[in-house]
Amino acid sequence: MPIQIIAPAPFLSAEEEEEEFQVEEDEGGVPLDLDNDGDTAMDGVAASKRKQGRQAAGIVTPGEIVTDDPQWMRGHGTYLSSPTADGESQSIVSSLAGTISKTNKLLSIRALRFRYVPEIGDLVVGRILEVQTKRWRVDIAAPHSAALLLSSINLPGGILRKRTSTDELQIRTFFSEGDLLVAEVQTLNSDGQASLHTRSLKYGKLRNGYFMTIDAGMVRRMKSHVLTMNTSNGGGEVDIYLGVNGYIYIAKHTTPLTEGGVESKSVSITRLEEEASEAIYSNVNEDISPETRAEIARIGCVLRALVKANVKIDEEMLNLGYEAALEEFLEGFDWGSDTEAGKRVVDLALAKRRMG
Amino acid sequence: MEGLRNDGRRWNELRRIHCQLSTSSTNADGSSYIEQGFTKVLCNVTGPAEPSNRQRVKQDSATVSCEVYFAAFSGTDRIKRGRNDKKVQELQTAIQKTFSSIILTHLFARSEITISIHILSQDGGTLAACINAATLALIDAGIPMTDYVCACTAGQSTSIFDNEGASPDPWLDVNYLEESDIPSLTVATVGDSEKIVALSMENKVRIEALEAMIAVGISGCARVRGIMDKEVRRYGKEKLEAEGE
């Protein structure tokens, strides 16, 4: 005997109630756009209407059957239902709330929000957690902390220098606990633990700026994740390190100390360059003018506003957002008192993007 | 008012459920807030992340850990419950065990998923609200689970049975007054299936009544799943629309 459960007294309008009713009608699987194999089982007006309605929603939730068609392979975010007694084929069930993505015959679910999963070549911003004898453990907001080997950093005194036991003893002079750095994912081991490297003049210790975190999925993958922005109001140039892992560092632009010395280094390693390289690992901030600080804070606020409005961040969006913030005359720091400011900036930025 | 309970509900009527995802903008990977009647619970999920305690590392799967905090002002009496409070530990274990079996932990070897729950207001069905909140927060964190875990309570209104031994209707989703008056149980199911993942009862009840209580609880869970699923879809739609711009 089925028990009827009365729903809680609705706070919903009549339309929403109807919507709920329709959702319940949609039992058993999400339609896949089976255009490549001519599966036209779902013809007729009613079916196509239903199909459209579901695709507009486009979301699967945990426990929802994605398909029971055996031709599909299951990918990330799905699992196979336990086999039924009557020997029916197993169906692919979603384990996440997100959207379906199809690659040939592989079905996977992309979650709405997810933690960062490292991939080779990703530019990440990280923080040193622990110093070991020959390596550092770095927090990169992934399921496992990453490793940074002493052999995969630029040692002072030129790129081509060999690692010595003196360097091992001085490991804390390069990076110590709590230091921020920008690095690239070099390798991944079998459980997805990343190994980083900073063997490029673009990477290394971060200073002169401001650290913030956002959702990893909100940073769009781009050609370059280090942006240099020419700020107004006498702020000068500001560097933005958009880590793919959702860690972001906004800093005053400094001309890399080793710049210009790159070519000459292969010729001879002079005393001057050695000193310059040691400055890479300096822990002392430069003088940052109040104007630059204000612009750094403004960029931080723009990023936060974009994330709050669920707009993915890329170079274009950031520039537009910054322009919008300037037009709204928003100071870097006092957005907090104006709760609508972020929304206004994002709307303006989106309008600008549509204009082209 | 024949047939109505002290708060005006029928025997098979749920209290109002209001839930929200991504409520916290702090460094939690997923968060949720749920109100079931006047029971209010906030949940944050972190993970999969590096385990805080090396001893808890499992080589082939993720560790699920749970922390429950009762706000001192949450009940009728002001009680501070510490970390070692028996009730707190019981809740933690129940939630931890429930979710260990539902989360696909084998995907995240040697990592930890932490569910931290703050109980802001108690009005019956605390465990059920905690489980529901944790489900939503885990979904928000993008942690793979076999299905929703939905929990609901059911109580046996009276011990009077008629001559045939048939019991009167059990009460669904008991509030604080009912919970302190009558025997009740909390049942959690996997989605809207009838698979039970957690069942807890702290009082004595006549064996004839038990089956009906569980049955009502399970049906309540299916309804709760519908409500939570609707909110997840609404939230997802909102998020996708913004990204599409």
Side-chain angles (χ1 to χ4, degrees), chain B residues 143-191:
Chain B
I143 292 171
M145 298 191 287
T146 50
D147 205 326
Y148 285 81
V149 186
C150 311
C152 195
T153 57
Q156 182 55 53
S157 55
T158 159
S159 56
I160 304 163
F161 289 74
D162 65 16
N163 294 334
E164 282 94 55
S167 58
D169 291 327
W171 286 353
L172 181 74
D173 197 12
V174 291
N175 64 23
Y176 177 72
L177 271 177
E178 293 164 345
E179 198 177 58
S180 43
D181 258 8
I182 61 166
S184 63
L185 57 78
T186 304
V187 58
T189 63
V190 184

Side-chain angles (χ1 to χ4, degrees), chain A residues 106-126:
Chain A
L106 184 76
L107 267 182
S108 44
I109 312 286
R110 215 181 130 76
L112 296 168
R113 261 178 95 187
F114 47 87
R115 209 174 159 90
Y116 170 65
V117 181
E119 279 172 43
I120 292 173
D122 281 352
L123 180 129
V124 294
V125 173

Side-chain angles (χ1 to χ4, degrees), chain B residues 28-152:
Chain B
D29 291 298
S31 49
S32 68
Y33 173 68
I34 192 164
E35 284 177 12
Q36 289 188 260
F38 289 116
T39 302
K40 298 172 186 177
V41 172
L42 196 65
C43 180
N44 288 325
V45 165
T46 343
E50 193 81 8
S52 54
N53 185 345
R54 287 271 166 88
Q55 273 141 25
R56 273 192 289 191
V57 177
K58 283 193 224 159
Q59 289 302 318
D60 55 348
S61 65
T63 323
V64 179
S65 58
C66 179
E67 292 157 8
V68 173
Y69 305 97
F70 276 91
F73 51 80
S74 61
T76 42
D77 302 314
R78 194 178 175 86
I79 304 168
K80 279 210 173 121
R81 290 184 191 275
R83 206 169 271 272
N84 294 322
D85 188 287
K86 222 175 136 195
K87 186 153 187 190
V88 171
Q89 294 208 321
E90 197 184 317
L91 268 180
Q92 286 178 344
T93 321
I95 294 162
Q96 188 247 326
K97 290 239 165 86
T98 307
F99 285 98
S100 301
S101 61
I102 293 300
I103 296 171
L104 304 175
T105 50
H106 63 274
L107 298 171
F108 307 104
R110 276 185 273 144
S111 59
E112 185 178 28
I113 294 163
T114 314
I115 303 166
S116 100
I117 294 172
H118 292 263
I119 296 159
L120 305 179
S121 168
Q122 302 175 64
D123 185 32
T126 310
L127 174 61
C130 289
I131 290 175
N132 293 337
T135 302
L136 291 173
L138 285 165
I139 288 171
D140 184 37
I143 292 171
M145 298 191 287
T146 50
D147 205 326
Y148 285 81
V149 186
C150 311
C152 195

Side-chain angles (χ1 to χ4, degrees), chain A residues 98-171:
Chain A
T99 49
I100 300 173
S101 74
K102 282 167 283 177
T103 322
N104 296 325
K105 291 283 172 206
L106 184 76
L107 267 182
S108 44
I109 312 286
R110 215 181 130 76
L112 296 168
R113 261 178 95 187
F114 47 87
R115 209 174 159 90
Y116 170 65
V117 181
E119 279 172 43
I120 292 173
D122 281 352
L123 180 129
V124 294
V125 173
R127 192 189 282 279
I128 305 284
L129 288 174
E130 193 184 327
V131 182
Q132 294 165 352
T133 43
K134 286 180 189 176
R135 57 183 201 151
W136 294 270
R137 281 209 308 123
V138 190
D139 166 36
I140 55 164
H144 298 283
S145 60
L148 175 65
L149 300 177
L150 185 57
S151 55
S152 42
I153 66 163
N154 271 338
L155 295 167
I159 305 169
L160 301 169
R161 202 175 66 115
K162 220 184 149 196
R163 177 170 61 94
T164 62
S165 54
T166 330
D167 292 325
E168 268 176 41
L169 293 172
Q170 293 181 339
I171 191 162

